[in-house]
Amino acid sequence: MLRVPATAGDGEPLTVVVDTGATPPFPLIVSEALAKRLGLSLEAGETAATPAIGPRPPTLRKTQVPRFTMGPISLSDVPAIATEAVDRLAASIGRPVDAIVGHAFLKELTFSVDYGAKLIDFTAAPGADSEAISFTLGPKKPVMVVTATVNGKGPFAMELDTGAMASSATPKLAEQAAIAVRGSGRMSGPGGEIPVHYGHASVGFAGRTAEAQQFAISEAIERIAQETGAPIEGIIGARFFAGTRVTIAYPDGKMWVEPSGGADAP
């Protein structure tokens, strides 16, 4: 999960998650705790539709953040929503999270994430066209959709989600790819936690294969497909990209995956 330092207001330090799976039409999604710290004015709350993951629909309150700075990007009077879903995320991972930036923030950018060096570059240059991997966006909600193999089976339509650590699969994909269930647990989402089964499988994408990737197996992925309007059968989480540098050019619908230059590179 990409947690990046930023500031808001008069220099309030923040921890921000960069999440390609976050699709609200607002550049900034802030926690209720941060909204209180900044003294933001909140409009009357609206209850979101029942989320695909979690039993409790979050409340969304429109607001505006006077100043927001992350790396070289500095914005004023930023439209935002405040929601307890961000507070739930922080509680689920046991680490501070003050805000999330998703598609509405990233859609005009070409940026790179070096998972080995633990660096993010919001002014990255695109790679060579000959090495580019195309992605599409869901027609209802703009999640990134790519194709990948699981245990050598497929290809399957997968959401690429930098806000998720583990990968996920529908029960149908798990059956087709012979992902053996090894246990059960819980998966967190905007509406809280849901029970899931867990297994491990190899994932093939972008010319590389990552072995022993943890998969959460749940019917919730089918509901994500319905919400996004894309035929998503699973999710590729951030663990797949360990030891790589990923560049995403949202305006061009292209991405590049190469070995990291950092210490964790294979």
Side-chain angles (χ1 to χ4, degrees):
M1 184 176 293
L2 304 176
R3 298 167 64 248
V4 180
T7 62
D10 293 327
E12 175 80 15
L14 311 181
T15 298
V16 179
V17 168
V18 179
D19 184 359
T20 58
T23 58
F26 294 86
L28 196 56
I29 307 163
V30 303
S31 70
E32 290 190 337
L34 177 64
K36 291 179 181 178
R37 293 206 309 271
L38 296 178
L40 301 181
S41 177
L42 304 178
E43 294 186 11
E46 296 182 4
T47 300
T50 301
I53 299 176
R56 305 189 303 276
T59 300
L60 312 177
R61 295 177 173 86
K62 293 180 183 178
T63 186
Q64 186 170 279
V65 177
R67 285 173 296 280
F68 176 74
T69 300
M70 185 166 59
I73 300 172
S74 186
L75 304 174
S76 299
D77 300 325
V78 187
I81 52 172
T83 173
E84 74 270 24
V86 181
D87 305 84
R88 290 175 186 169
L89 172 61
S92 71
I93 66 173
R95 297 182 179 182
V97 177
D98 299 299
I100 297 170
V101 295
H103 176 263
F105 182 91
L106 302 167
K107 63 182 179 180
E108 303 297 333
L109 299 177
T110 295
F111 66 99
S112 69
V113 181
D114 191 320
Y115 284 92
K118 297 181 181 179
L119 293 173
I120 186 165
D121 181 2
F122 287 108
T123 61
D129 276 347
S130 60
E131 298 175 358
I133 303 156
S134 296
F135 64 85
T136 60
L137 298 177
K140 294 182 180 178
K141 293 185 177 181
V143 297
M144 294 177 63
V145 183
V146 297
T147 57
T149 60
V150 180
N151 282 341
K153 307 293 185 181
F156 300 103
M158 308 281 280
E159 176 189 344
L160 195 156
D161 187 352
T162 60
M165 289 301 295
S167 297
S168 301
T170 63
K172 182 178 179 180
L173 186 155
E175 180 180 1
Q176 292 176 334
I179 301 177
V181 173
R182 301 298 185 188
S184 59
R186 303 189 72 80
M187 181 168 64
S188 296
E193 295 184 334
I194 59 171
V196 297
H197 295 297
Y198 280 107
H200 290 83
S202 66
V203 179
F205 172 65
R208 65 189 299 266
T209 299
E211 303 291 344
Q213 295 290 291
Q214 186 180 66
F215 272 80
I217 302 167
S218 171
E219 293 178 354
I221 309 306
E222 297 170 352
R223 294 197 293 275
I224 292 175
Q226 294 172 357
E227 288 181 356
T228 61
I232 294 168
E233 300 167 271
I235 294 172
I236 299 177
R239 287 195 182 111
F240 173 84
F241 296 102
T244 72
R245 180 177 184 267
V246 180
T247 302
I248 298 173
Y250 262 107
D252 300 324
K254 296 178 180 178
M255 63 180 294
W256 294 261
V257 180
E258 58 188 333
S260 167
D264 293 339

